[in-house]
Amino acid sequence: MGFTKKKEMIAMLLAGGQGSRLGVLTNSVAKPAVPFGGKYRIIDFPLSNCVNSGIDTVGVLTQYQPLELNNYIGSGQPWDLDRLYGGISILPPYVHGKVGEWYKGTANAIYQNMNFVEMYNPEYVLILSGDHIYKMNYKMMLDYHRAKNADCTIAVLQVPIEEASRFGVMNTDDQMRIYEFEEKPPEPKSNLASMGVYIFTWDKLREYLIKDEENPNSSNDFGKDVIPAMLNDQKNLYAYEFKGYWKDVGTVESLWEANMDMINPNVPINLNDPPWKIYSRNGNLPPQFVNGNAVLKNSFITEGCTICGTVENSIIFPGVTVEEGAVISNSIIMPDCVIGQGAAVEYSIVASAVKIGKNAEVGYNKKPLKAGEHQPITVVGQKLSIAEGTVVPAGAVVSESITAEAGETEE
Amino acid sequence: MNTLGLIFSYTHRENLRELTKPRTLASLPIAGKYRIIDVLLSNFVNSSITDVSIITKSNYHSLMDHVGAGKEWDLTRKNGGLRVLTPYASPQMSVNSSMYRGDVEALATNMHSIRRSMAEYVVISGSGTLYSMDFNHVIQSHIDRHADITVVYTRSMNGSKIVPSGVVVFQMDEHERIYDLKYNTDDTSPQEVAWGIGVIIIKKSLLESLVADAMSYQEYDFYEGILKRLAGTLNILGYEYKGYLMEISSVTDYMKANLKLLEKDMRDKFFEHPIYTKIKDSVPVMYCEGCQVVNSILADGCRIEGTVENSIISRGVRIGRGAVVKNSIVMQNTEIMQNVVLDHVILDKDVIVRENRQLVGHETYPVVVEKLSIV
């Protein structure tokens, strides 16, 4: 059918996870669509990395709560992924013949879309996930993959050895060839943690996906099944060391921390990087307005905001109104929230379109804190309202609106 | 309604000094992250008019660069969409004068493109006065009142009776029929008059024949050569506009129009409908420790370490520690270094103001620093 171009490498982005550890933040959106860093969503990072690395064909595998994510991705135009050949494709599970099933695991998701991959006849396939914050040139990783004549290259990051047991750990020889992969080992032998970024030579991956699917005992997961099977067969698996900022944002605490990293000048990630921009869908909002009583310190604030209160060490997303006398500190306020007069919000993540009433206190803490420790993060779910004067204790997770009568009080 | 939008990217009555040296009026930055053309194009797009041509005369490269294929305004269409009509030398063109001798000649030169549009009506807009308008209402009134030409006028600019110099003042009867007009020269005293905001509605077929007719009489001014000359024969009606207005024909007006957005009322009116612009994917504004921002508008991508008061700051501006920027308009990617003091200054794009420099203008005469200058 007409002209088709062979692609050297296409990307498959696994965006179907529920992200259950983010609790109320992912009640109605898939994790990759969770807002991040002031005007982005988590998925903007892998998508922008792809485009900036010259990858123009991306399949996004969706399954859990895809509506908002689909709508956000649209034609792919904000990432320059509306292309004649390739571009972005959303790949939900579908029925083939009389059968059809959900994606059983990460490997099965790719298996079910083998026909999509074959349409582009690629040499290599890049597997990404939608829950990490980092800026990475996948082109350099591909060069490494080719130089090593690898069947699979796994991006790794050096982590402190005491934290390595939280990750998938690669044990390599001095040529970086992987001889063993351990998922969350209690006693790690190395400090090379997998970043969840893989490049496979497509022929090899296809072979192993088919084998894996035939194995009824497999959980159809890359880390648990496919990679161990390849190691077992003495295939060429190499670790590619990435030196730079990378963070998994799978939990409330890590999501908060990663956001705070964006405004911390000592953290080695700079979003203001014209040759490596992070693209996002833009809401056509007016520039922000800061009135005469605002006090601003070390914060990220973006379009459509009206700031009349105090904002410290915080990230304010588009369209937020902070009324007079309100004080926001060490918090993340997602799009379209209204923080009422005199309200206080500290160490909190407030999801989009939340209304916080006058003089309410969100993240109220009375427990003494140890040095270097911060109070637990309070989370307020999407589209809720919190009545005037309510006190929400630190660490609470608010999943229903708080009305004046049922106002939560101090414990 | 099948309508063609025509925007003149320039106006003969402007005096914007250094600001329009590198660019045509319509691509002048405004309100932090926009260009004048964004406001005009958004009016058309918000009125569901998706066939729009921009008539340019000179230094239009910055405009072309900004609008591109019209994607951001949703004007990349199979039918209609955005077209920039650039001048070209033709045998009929006069040799002794500048490019176009008037709007009529500009229309005549571009008639090949206008004629090709399938539209029944044409809405013409200038660039010197900004407004927010649903053109469908005017077109409906044009049809209902059997007008040949409808001219949009106003009686006050945001409550003020001062009439900008160079605009057209109309004489109308009690049915809003225009029988005479003149160009205004008095921009200091309040006047009880109806003056044009540069918006005209006409049937495309009539426009084609009136332009051809005026050309044959060597009448090149649209108002004098068509409206005034034919006031007796054609049904030329006024349509009153009561929304906000921003007049951009002089440096002081430009400054006033921008700073007026610091008032909530004006901001609410200006941003009532979406204004589309080119997306730059800038990061959020970083407000550093020790910054102080009072009553200002800031666009994304800025890094603020100093003090900003009553000012409009465009995308990607850096303001260093100890710097004080007051009552000023700072355009894109400008860098203001440490301890600089600016008051009533308009800094054009890509300017650098080095450490400890002080520039102070006045409300009646703002200092303008040209694009790419280093102070």
Side-chain angles (χ1 to χ4, degrees), chain A residues 192-218:
Chain A
L192 298 177
S194 166
M195 295 164 56
V197 174
Y198 313 108
I199 290 179
F200 287 95
T201 301
W202 172 239
D203 288 344
K204 293 285 172 356
L205 177 62
R206 189 179 47 197
E207 184 189 326
Y208 277 87
L209 286 177
I210 294 169
K211 259 194 220 166
D212 181 61
E213 193 60 23
E214 285 165 356
N215 176 3
N217 300 321
S218 170

Side-chain angles (χ1 to χ4, degrees), chain A residues 364-384:
Chain A
Y364 174 80
N365 187 53
K366 54 177 184 176
K367 294 188 192 106
L369 298 169
K370 288 185 210 122
E373 192 191 53
H374 67 76
Q375 65 185 70
I377 303 302
T378 311
V379 183
V380 182
Q382 260 188 33
K383 296 180 189 158
L384 302 183

Side-chain angles (χ1 to χ4, degrees), chain B residues 195-229:
Chain B
W195 53 277
I197 65 167
V199 178
I200 293 165
I201 287 88
I202 183 171
K203 237 187 184 149
K204 189 164 77 83
S205 51
L206 181 62
L207 179 71
E208 286 171 26
S209 52
L210 290 182
V211 166
D213 175 62
M215 282 300 280
S216 64
Y217 282 99
Q218 299 198 345
E219 295 275 6
Y220 302 119
D221 185 89
F222 196 90
Y223 289 95
E224 297 268 352
I226 293 180
L227 296 189
K228 194 173 178 176
R229 191 166 58 89

Side-chain angles (χ1 to χ4, degrees), chain A residues 47-371:
Chain A
L47 285 182
S48 302
N49 284 339
C50 280
V51 175
N52 290 334
S53 305
I55 299 168
D56 62 7
T57 307
V58 183
V60 180
L61 298 113
T62 60
Q63 173 157 287
Y64 173 79
Q65 288 285 12
L67 292 183
E68 191 168 327
L69 182 62
N70 291 355
N71 191 24
Y72 183 70
I73 293 171
S75 66
Q77 187 258 323
W79 305 270
D80 208 7
L81 283 171
D82 50 338
R83 302 291 178 101
L84 277 183
Y85 304 114
I88 204 161
S89 305
I90 291 173
L91 305 169
Y94 60 95
V95 174
H96 2 201
K98 286 210 171 100
V99 289
E101 55 186 349
W102 296 106
Y103 295 144
K104 289 179 285 182
T106 50
N108 176 257
I110 308 295
Y111 173 82
Q112 292 200 34
N113 287 290
M114 285 202 306
N115 290 340
F116 170 80
V117 178
E118 305 261 272
M119 270 160 51
Y120 299 99
N121 191 19
E123 298 282 318
Y124 309 99
V125 172
L126 171 69
I127 310 288
L128 301 169
S129 58
D131 38 16
H132 303 136
I133 303 301
Y134 63 114
K135 293 196 295 187
M136 179 176 182
N137 191 338
Y138 304 131
K139 183 77 176 39
M140 285 163 75
M141 183 172 166
L142 178 62
D143 292 345
Y144 176 92
H145 179 86
R146 264 194 303 232
K148 292 281 187 186
N149 198 18
D151 299 316
C152 168
T153 300
I154 301 173
V156 294
L157 188 81
Q158 287 205 30
V159 294
I161 191 91
E162 58 275 14
E163 284 179 29
S165 57
R166 286 174 30 217
F167 299 93
V169 172
M170 303 294 152
N171 299 322
T172 65
D173 63 16
D174 55 357
Q175 296 300 304
M176 293 301 273
R177 182 167 173 170
I178 301 166
Y179 64 85
E180 194 184 12
F181 170 83
E182 292 180 293
E183 184 71 44
K184 302 195 172 103
E187 277 167 45
K189 291 178 208 149
S190 109
N191 65 344
L192 298 177
S194 166
M195 295 164 56
V197 174
Y198 313 108
I199 290 179
F200 287 95
T201 301
W202 172 239
D203 288 344
K204 293 285 172 356
L205 177 62
R206 189 179 47 197
E207 184 189 326
Y208 277 87
L209 286 177
I210 294 169
K211 259 194 220 166
D212 181 61
E213 193 60 23
E214 285 165 356
N215 176 3
N217 300 321
S218 170
S219 55
N220 308 111
D221 186 85
F222 276 106
K224 290 193 193 104
D225 307 291
V226 174
I227 289 165
M230 289 178 91
L231 282 171
N232 218 13
D233 294 352
Q234 308 284 314
K235 293 289 168 199
N236 285 328
L237 277 80
Y238 281 88
Y240 171 76
E241 195 185 336
F242 171 72
K243 291 194 172 101
Y245 179 90
W246 176 88
K247 192 145 204 153
D248 180 283
V249 285
T251 63
V252 168
E253 178 70 26
S254 65
L255 179 66
W256 179 84
E257 266 174 29
N259 269 286
M260 290 300 139
D261 285 347
M262 300 302 129
I263 50 173
N264 183 346
N266 302 319
V267 170
I269 184 166
N270 183 7
L271 297 182
N272 195 358
D273 181 5
W276 205 273
K277 273 186 182 169
I278 304 301
Y279 302 100
S280 63
R281 188 172 285 279
N282 190 294
N284 271 304
L285 291 165
Q288 56 201 288
F289 175 73
V290 178
N291 96 338
N293 302 322
V295 178
L296 305 169
K297 271 185 206 159
N298 193 44
S299 295
F300 247 9
I301 303 179
T302 187
E303 293 170 339
C305 291
T306 304
I307 310 292
C308 309
T310 300
V311 180
E312 270 180 77
N313 301 322
S314 294
I315 294 190
I316 313 289
F317 283 74
V320 171
T321 302
V322 179
E323 294 181 358
E324 305 267 344
V327 179
I328 296 170
S329 64
N330 300 294
S331 294
I332 296 152
I333 312 292
M334 291 185 182
D336 305 320
C337 289
V338 178
I339 313 296
Q341 275 179 32
V345 179
E346 50 181 306
Y347 289 97
S348 299
I349 300 179
V350 179
S352 44
V354 168
K355 286 196 169 56
I356 295 184
K358 280 182 197 168
N359 303 318
E361 280 185 63
V362 176
Y364 174 80
N365 187 53
K366 54 177 184 176
K367 294 188 192 106
L369 298 169
K370 288 185 210 122

